Each structure stands twice: as C-alpha cells, then as structure tokens.
Amino acid sequence: MDEKGVSEREILEELMNYRKLDLKYEDGKIFGSMCSNVLPITRKIVDMFLETNLGDPGLFKGTKLLEEKAVELLGSLLNNKKAYGHIVSGGTEANLMALRCIKNIWREKRRKGLSKNEHPKIIIPITAHFSFEKGRDMMDLSYIYAPLKKDYTVDEKFVKDAVEDYEIDGIVGIAGTTELGTIDNIEELSKIAKENNIYIHVDAAFGGLVIPFLEEKYKKKNINYNFDFSLGVDSITIDPHKMGHCPIPSGGILFKDISYRKYLDVYTPYLTETKQATILGTRVGFGGACTYAVLKYLGREGQRKIVSECMENTLYLYKKLKENGFNPVIEPVLNIVAIEDEDYKDVCMKLRDKGIYVSVCNCVKALRVVVMPHIKREHIDNFIEILKEVKKD
Ligand code: PLP
C-alpha cells in the first residue's frame, strides 16, 4: 500500500478498466448462470441499505423489520404465513442452515438416547446442488444418495426403501434442479417423511420463484408441481437473487415456524441481540429490503409476466434446437434447457472461445442453458448459429 492516496477520478477509472473485462448480462452471452440483471429500483435500495448490518440487528431495527416482512411475503407465496426465516447469502447458506437444523435435531435425539446414528443420516438426490457437499464436509453428515427415475426426478421408491432399511434424520427434495430444472415429487417425499417422523427440506432455490408463477399452459400432466409448506415440509430454500431480480447475495431460507430457531441459535454475548441463527455473522441488510420491495413492486402479476417471458424464450430455444438437429435431454419443465452431447465439455470450451458461456450437466452428458430474463430471442438465434459452427469444426 502506498503512503499517499490517489484521486477519486483516478481510482474509479482504474476500476472501470477492470469492470470492462467482465461479461454483462445484457450482452446476451451468459447462458449458464442463474443470476441476471437486477431491476432499476433495486440499485436505489442497495444504496439506501448499503451500510446496514443484520449481524447486529438491534442497531438496524428498520432493516430487521424489512427482513421479517420479506420472509412473511415469501411465506405467503409458499402457503405459510407463520414461516420463520432469513434472507441470507444465497442458496448455499440457506441449505447449510437447513442441514444445521437437521444436525441439531439429531444431536438432541442422541442426547436423549433416541438415535443410534453416529452421524446424521440424510437421503439426498444425486442431482442436489454442491452446497450439500459443503454441508456434508463441514458437519460430518452421512448421505445416502438417491438415484433418479427415467424422468430425472428422484426415485421415491428408493427413498421409501431406504427409510425402511435405515434410521433416517432428514430427506432432501429439489423443486427445480440446478442442471435440468426438474421437480422432484415433493408430495410423495413429504408423505414418506411425515409417516416416519423425518425432517424434510426442499431446495427451491431456483424453482421457488418460478413454479408458483407458471401459467397452466406450461405445466405437464405427469409432473406434481406442489412443493410448499401446504405439504407439511419443514424448510424451504428460495433465492431472490436467482429468478427474483434481487442483488447477489439474496438467498432465502424459511422454516415452518419459529420453533425451529432453537436448533440454529448460538449465544452472541457482545451484540445488541444475544442470539444469532444465521451462519454468516456480519451480513448485508439490503437483501431483505430488496426482496420485500421487489415482491411488492412486481406483485404476482408482474412476476408471472417475467416467468412467462422466460418460458416462451425457453420453448423457442427448445424448438430451434430440434429444428437444427440437436437433442434436448427433456422437454423443458422450467426455464432450463439441457442439450445432449457426447463431447459436451469440449463443446462448452469451444463456445467459450467464441464468447458464449454455457455450462454443463453432471447427471447426463449435456450442455446446460438457463434462460434467464436477460436472454432475448436474438441472443438465442446467435447462440444456435455459433453452436452449429462449433459442431461443424
Ligand atoms: N440450490 C440450487 C437448486 C441451486 O441451483 C443453487 C445454485 O445454482 C444453489 C442451491 C446454491 O445457490 P448459491 O449459488 O446462491 O449459493
């Protein structure tokens, strides 16, 4: 660090040069991300709440109230006005909080001599996001990985059998898988969990702000779209920074009610509140403010319109791919399209060399495209042309 500072103009110019190296959503080259542009109103809110810290909520009472209101709104969307939760750092922290809750319920059972498991045992679909691997590693969890059925949703029969064969502490279901956008049969999983008094967590980080807004015309007969608290689930991850047009990092974690908090709280003696449930300590306050504001600002109607536009573009991409001889893995369930390709990793890198950033699947050899709000028809046409070029080479 130099002794003397530099002028604001000089340093901002330097930063701008670095910023220019970044891709911009609006350029239509980011096809593999679950993040997108924020709404213009969001920029103003971030500025207003930039210095707030929900790690010390007694200092920021208004911001804390807004986080509560955001949770209440998400709760009402998920059929539970009594939900307790937080707007945290993305789906990762949200999922880690659910896993911590499962772990501490197991610990309580162990203390009472009610569990023989040496580690909390959790059934988790093989399509689960890698945040669950972080949780397994940090909390010494023991996973039973559930395979998929032909439609790429979790095999409930396997889950049912595993519950009969082992003492299970938690079940995870996914409403909108990262790779394909498929929706596990949460109703069935929830039934299995409730009948056996097992905790069930739903990862709807992506699907949570899509599924409730899907118009009937996009729904398929053989898919069960129910995933929320009306099924009796214990917790749900739902991320405003994915399909909710909020700034990174806005992840949502909701528990059925406040009684779950005791499994999360640690003692925080020197803060304005003496208990803290989130994994991060010092944490941004604008996530809650933006979530509340954007949901209020758009209303159900506004969000439905955005979701429908994404679905129309998804179906357009699907149709164009087929017309050009490509093979999508499934008919799109949400605004995600996976394209079968034996050389998917190589093709992904070649596309990148041409300035197109898709991602890849893990559960099937395929490229993966997320049709976020920043993806327009002309971007899709351009993508198809470049994909054709790459495949010709
Ligand atoms: N859960 C699902 C289903 C996801 O798709 C993702 C991210 O893509 C996450 C959790 C993790 O979210 P984040 O990257 O915001 O931590």
Side-chain angles (χ1 to χ4, degrees), residues 33-35 89-95 127-132 134 174-179 203-207 237 239 241-242 248-251 336 368:
S33 171
M34 286 183 157
C35 296
S89 189
T92 298
E93 189 184 357
N95 285 336
T127 37
H129 182 261
F130 56 79
S131 47
F132 289 96
K134 296 182 182 177
I174 310 170
T177 54
T178 312
E179 295 182 24
D203 183 359
F206 185 77
T237 290
D239 284 358
H241 76 184
K242 293 190 168 65
I248 298 164
S250 309
I336 298 178
R368 165 182 173 267

Side-chain angles (χ1 to χ4, degrees), residues 221-237:
K221 281 201 191 77
N222 55 340
I223 296 177
N224 188 336
Y225 290 85
N226 296 340
F227 72 100
D228 66 21
F229 286 106
S230 60
L231 301 176
V233 303
D234 295 280
S235 52
I236 301 179
T237 290

Side-chain angles (χ1 to χ4, degrees), residues 226-268:
N226 296 340
F227 72 100
D228 66 21
F229 286 106
S230 60
L231 301 176
V233 303
D234 295 280
S235 52
I236 301 179
T237 290
I238 175 170
D239 284 358
H241 76 184
K242 293 190 168 65
M243 278 296 287
H245 335 292
C246 281
I248 298 164
S250 309
I253 178 68
L254 271 68
F255 295 89
K256 198 192 284 179
D257 58 52
I258 191 75
S259 69
Y260 291 73
R261 188 167 178 162
K262 65 174 179 291
Y263 298 109
L264 299 166
D265 273 338
V266 296
Y267 182 45
T268 53

Side-chain angles (χ1 to χ4, degrees), residues 106-146:
W106 161 82
R107 193 177 265 154
E108 187 177 78
K109 279 201 230 152
R110 284 281 291 182
R111 257 201 311 268
K112 293 180 180 163
L114 299 172
S115 172
K116 291 195 202 71
N117 284 343
E118 291 292 326
H119 302 273
K121 205 180 267 308
I122 301 173
I123 307 176
I124 184 161
I126 58 166
T127 37
H129 182 261
F130 56 79
S131 47
F132 289 96
E133 281 309 301
K134 296 182 182 177
R136 187 186 60 75
D137 186 47
M138 285 191 281
M139 293 178 236
D140 257 342
L141 308 171
S142 160
Y143 284 171
I144 295 177
Y145 293 95

